Every structure is written in C-alpha cells, then in structure tokens.
C-alpha cells in the first residue's frame, strides 16, 4: 500500500501522475484531509471533478474506493447495514425443529450476530481491515435525517448497531462527501468536514485537462474548444456542459477527424455537449452562428 504524500506539492504531483489535475486549493484540502483524518465536503456544479477527485485519491493512495451513491429515499438499510432475514429465519427453523421452545431460547441471541449482518457501503468502509477511500456521492439528494445518521461516522469513525453495540473503524478511511449544492446541508454536518468548493475551471486549466485526456487533438482545436465551451457556460442554460462533456466533445472531434471548429462541425456534434432541447436552440443561435462557415459550404 502506498504511503500518503508528505507535502501538498507531493500530493499535487501524485494526483497529476494518476491523471487528475488539481488546483492549488484542491491539493491543499486533500493533503489536510489525508494528514488530519478529516472528512471533506466537496461542493460545486455537476461535472467539475468532485467524484473524480475521490477516484484519483484512491488510486494515488492505493486504496479501495467504497462508494455510496445517494438518492432521494436512501435509508439506513441501504447505506449502513441490514439483517439477513432469510438466513435468520432458516437458522431459527432449523434450531426450533430440533429443540422446540428450548431451541428458540437458545437461538434468539445467536441470529443477531455478525454472521447474519449484511454490510452496506458505510459499514464496509468502517469494518475494512485495510484503509479505504469512502465516497458519499451527492449527499444533497438525501434528507436531513440521513445526514444526522452520518454524524457519528464523520466525527468518530464509528457506528452503533443496537443489537451488537459500537463498531469502531480499525483503519481510518479518507472520506469525501460531494454535493451539487441542490439544497443547503446542515451546519452539524459541515462542522465535521473540511470544505472545498470546485467550480468550472479557468480556460487554461480546462485546456490542460482536455489535452491531458485527449492528447491526439490538435492544440489549435483544443484551445478553440475550451473557448467555445466557456461561451456556452456563460449562457443561461438548464444545464451547462461539464468538464466530462468537454472531454467527450474533444474525443468526438478527434474521432471524426475534424480539422476546424466551424458551423457545420459544431451543429453536427453539439448534442455531445448540450443535452436539453431548449439549450440546443439557444446555443446554436448564440454561439453556433458566430463560428466561421465552412469554405465552399454556401452558408
């Protein structure tokens, strides 16, 4: 298992080596999280690299990534643990058949042992013999009751199972919570975390990301691509394009052999970047028509 980088600079260099290009604040907060053992709340628009940061840290630290994908209605049984009722029932039936009432007396404590426990992501991260990176993704999709359930884990790296007692982490996970800022999270949760805001990158940094991920795309088209993406994000859209969509667009242009970013190429590939009908019309009108027409197209 890799040891944690000893400095901010070493961690930033390590993240770059595994394909994630961090800003200075991202590297600093990640370093503090690893060294201090504090969870990190990463907020920002969708598609700016929040989840990728957790993946990159797991790769850099050579740890398993345990991911809890949050959604509306997520409850303790899906996030933490649940009892294997079918196995418990079979155990009870087998014991009772042979020993009657005395059998039930003997088995009633036994069926609430670890053998009958189904680990979900949070318990798996706590109980793991090797340290892991725990990603609690899109925490803003859950409710405040779920946040309250997380507080014990985030502050003490432990959980309490009524039938078994307290389960403490044997190794301390690196914990990242991500939020698209769809709702305000509770102060109790924020107090337990370091905070990192990730926004859409500056033009030069996004250019660096695109060229890192799609090295075959020409420098000229790559620069024009990120300039156009920046223009699109400045519009009032239902969903601005993410970094991942910029990379997808770059890959599409490379695959299609585009040697220029003109109106025709833009029109043909716009759906890689923009995913709502009203946004397509707005972007085509405000950005597409300002691109150069293809020579000889008659447009």
């Amino acid at each position: 298992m890799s040891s944690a980088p000893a400095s901010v600079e070493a961690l930033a260099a390590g993240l770059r080596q595994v394909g994630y290009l961090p800003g200075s604040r991202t590297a600093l907060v990640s370093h503090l999280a690893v060294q201090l053992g504090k969870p990190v709340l990463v907020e920002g628009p969708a598609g700016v690299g929040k989840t990728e940061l957790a993946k990159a840290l797991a790769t850099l630290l050579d740890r398993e990534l345990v991911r809890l994908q949050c959604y509306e209605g997520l409850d303790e049984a899906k996030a933490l643990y649940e009892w294997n009722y079918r196995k418990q029932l079979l155990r009870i039936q087998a014991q009772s058949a042979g020993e009657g009432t005395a059998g039930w007396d003997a088995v009633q404590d036994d069926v609430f042992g670890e053998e009958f426990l189904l680990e979900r992501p949070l318990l798996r991260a706590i109980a793991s013999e090797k340290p892991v990176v725990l990603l609690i993704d899109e925490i803003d999709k859950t409710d405040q009751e779920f946040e309250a359930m997380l507080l014990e884990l985030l502050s003490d790296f432990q959980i309490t199972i009524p039938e078994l007692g307290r389960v403490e982490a044997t190794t301390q996970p690196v914990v990242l919570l991500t939020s698209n800022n769809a709702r305000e999270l509770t102060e109790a949760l924020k107090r337990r975390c370091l905070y990192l805001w990730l926004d859409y990158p500056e033009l030069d940094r996004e250019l660096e990301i695109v060229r890192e991920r799609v090295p075959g795309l020409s420098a000229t088209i790559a620069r024009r691509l990120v300039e156009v993406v920046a223009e699109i994000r400045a519009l009032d859209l239902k969903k601005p394009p993410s970094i991942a969509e910029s990379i997808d667009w770059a890959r599409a242009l490379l695959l299609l052999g585009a040697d220029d970013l003109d109106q025709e190429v833009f029109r043909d590939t716009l759906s890689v970047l923009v995913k709502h009908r009203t946004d397509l019309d707005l972007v085509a009108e405000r950005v597409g028509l300002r691109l150069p027409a293809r020579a000889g197209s008659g447009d």
Side-chain angles (χ1 to χ4, degrees):
M1 184 179 302
S2 297
S3 58
S7 67
V8 178
E9 293 75 17
L11 187 137
L15 287 175
R16 284 178 172 271
Q17 286 178 357
V18 299
Y20 188 91
L21 307 182
S24 57
R25 179 160 174 74
T26 300
L28 173 62
V29 173
S30 299
H31 175 68
L32 293 176
V34 172
Q35 297 298 328
L36 300 179
K38 292 280 290 184
V40 185
L41 172 60
V42 190
E43 283 195 313
V48 294
K50 302 185 293 293
T51 301
E52 290 303 311
L53 175 60
K55 293 178 181 178
L57 282 171
T59 302
L60 172 62
L61 301 173
D62 192 22
R63 296 186 181 191
E64 179 190 359
L65 177 69
V66 178
R67 179 173 180 170
L68 174 63
Q69 180 62 53
C70 298
Y71 53 87
E72 186 177 350
L74 178 63
D75 60 15
E76 192 173 288
K78 298 299 182 187
L80 199 55
Y81 71 91
E82 64 182 323
W83 293 105
N84 188 336
Y85 296 118
R86 186 174 181 181
K87 191 174 180 180
Q88 286 177 317
L89 182 59
L90 290 172
R91 177 78 174 89
I92 293 168
Q93 288 175 337
Q95 187 79 15
S96 300
E99 302 178 25
T101 304
W104 164 246
D105 292 339
V107 80
Q108 60 180 336
D109 292 331
D110 179 49
V111 295
F112 288 106
E114 292 184 9
E115 179 186 352
F116 298 91
L117 201 61
L118 295 174
E119 292 182 354
R120 300 308 183 201
L122 298 182
L123 179 58
R124 188 152 69 86
I126 288 291
S128 174
E129 294 182 358
K130 297 181 179 179
V132 303
V133 173
L134 172 61
L135 169 62
I136 303 174
D137 212 6
E138 301 187 347
I139 181 65
D140 52 326
K141 289 186 176 177
T142 64
D143 54 26
Q144 291 191 359
E145 286 73 18
F146 187 85
E147 281 187 51
M149 189 270 292
L150 286 178
L151 298 183
E152 182 183 15
L153 184 149
L154 296 177
S155 60
D156 299 321
F157 295 101
Q158 67 179 37
I159 59 174
T160 300
I161 300 175
E163 298 85 353
L164 294 178
R166 189 170 57 201
V167 179
E168 297 179 343
T170 53
T171 58
Q172 188 160 309
V174 173
V175 182
L176 275 80
L177 304 93
T178 74
S179 166
N180 294 333
N181 210 25
R183 69 171 176 84
E184 189 70 23
L185 301 176
T186 63
E187 292 300 325
L189 184 138
K190 289 182 176 179
R191 277 199 307 273
R192 288 162 170 80
C193 299
L194 303 175
Y195 184 76
L196 175 64
W197 172 263
L198 286 184
D199 209 338
Y200 296 115
E202 297 293 327
L203 192 146
D204 285 342
R205 202 168 85 78
E206 182 155 21
L207 177 60
E208 189 180 6
I209 294 170
V210 168
R211 299 210 63 191
E212 167 76 19
R213 295 296 184 91
V214 193
L217 192 68
S218 78
T220 303
I221 294 185
R223 172 161 286 278
R224 189 66 188 117
L225 179 147
V226 296
E227 290 173 348
V228 169
V229 169
E231 290 181 44
I232 294 173
R233 286 185 186 139
L235 300 175
D236 183 18
L237 302 179
K238 292 180 71 173
K239 183 194 170 302
S242 67
I243 297 174
E245 285 162 330
S246 295
I247 294 169
D248 286 344
W249 195 28
R251 288 172 174 157
L253 295 177
L254 180 63
L255 181 66
L256 296 172
D259 55 8
D260 195 6
L261 196 50
D262 55 33
Q263 289 185 13
E264 185 174 336
V265 170
F266 185 76
R267 183 177 60 245
D268 290 344
T269 58
L270 182 56
S271 60
V272 178
L273 201 60
V274 179
K275 310 293 174 60
H276 289 273
R277 174 64 190 175
T278 53
D279 288 351
L280 285 168
D281 293 341
L282 182 63
V283 171
E285 177 187 347
R286 299 284 184 84
V287 179
L289 293 179
R290 291 163 53 189
L291 294 172
R294 180 168 296 181
S297 66
D299 290 345

